[in-house]
Amino acid sequence: QVQLVESGGGLVQPGGSLRLSCAVSGFTLDADDDYYTIGWFRQAPGKEREGVSSISVRNDGRSDDASWYADSVKGRFTISRDNAKNTLYLQMNSLKPEDTAVYYCASAEYFSSWYLGEGYWGQGTQVTVSS
């Protein structure tokens, strides 16, 4: 059974940085011949959930990861994976008050299904950007 456990949220001042982690169990990020999309959503109070960033992986020995970022975070956030730790990360720099939200890790077989919110979800971690 796939489980995704987020950590790393907290309170940070505007302009600051945080790194979110998503510990993955139930599947291996670098399993041969496997393909999936994994990434981050966020939801602020009173707002709809939105996709933040994802990577789409095809472990066929020939393909590079395909990264996707929402326009609102391009140039500030970086998604990455550590296969040895089976963990996904989201490095968030130059944080703004509008980045305040609960951040969720989610995975699905394809980007299209991931973007629709299908698949597996973690419980979320709170990020608050405030002075």
Side-chain angles (χ1 to χ4, degrees):
Q1 183 177 355
V2 176
Q3 286 191 320
L4 307 173
V5 180
E6 304 94 335
S7 61
L11 173 64
V12 63
Q13 292 187 342
S17 297
L18 280 176
R19 189 178 76 160
L20 304 184
S21 300
C22 173
V24 178
S25 60
F27 78 96
T28 304
L29 294 179
D30 63 347
D32 289 343
D33 299 322
D34 201 6
Y35 56 92
Y36 58 86
T37 294
I38 188 167
W40 299 89
F41 286 85
R42 67 186 180 186
Q43 188 164 23
K47 294 189 176 181
E48 291 189 357
R49 181 187 66 202
E50 64 171 341
V52 175
S53 179
S54 70
I55 51 172
S56 296
V57 177
R58 180 177 292 273
N59 290 322
D60 59 5
R62 303 186 303 274
S63 304
D64 294 329
D65 292 352
S67 299
W68 172 85
Y69 295 93
D71 287 345
S72 58
V73 306
K74 282 181 182 176
R76 300 189 297 123
F77 291 10
T78 303
I79 193 169
S80 63
R81 59 173 172 143
D82 184 329
N83 293 335
K85 296 182 178 180
N86 218 42
T87 298
L88 180 75
Y89 298 103
L90 185 68
Q91 178 66 44
M92 306 187 296
N93 298 329
S94 302
L95 282 162
K96 304 176 182 180
E98 51 264 44
D99 295 316
T100 296
V102 177
Y103 283 70
Y104 298 91
C105 180
S107 69
E109 189 172 16
Y110 301 107
F111 176 81
S112 55
S113 51
W114 176 85
Y115 195 77
L116 291 174
E118 300 169 358
Y120 301 96
W121 284 76
Q123 293 300 307
T125 185
Q126 175 71 47
V127 172
T128 303
V129 185
S130 175
S131 55

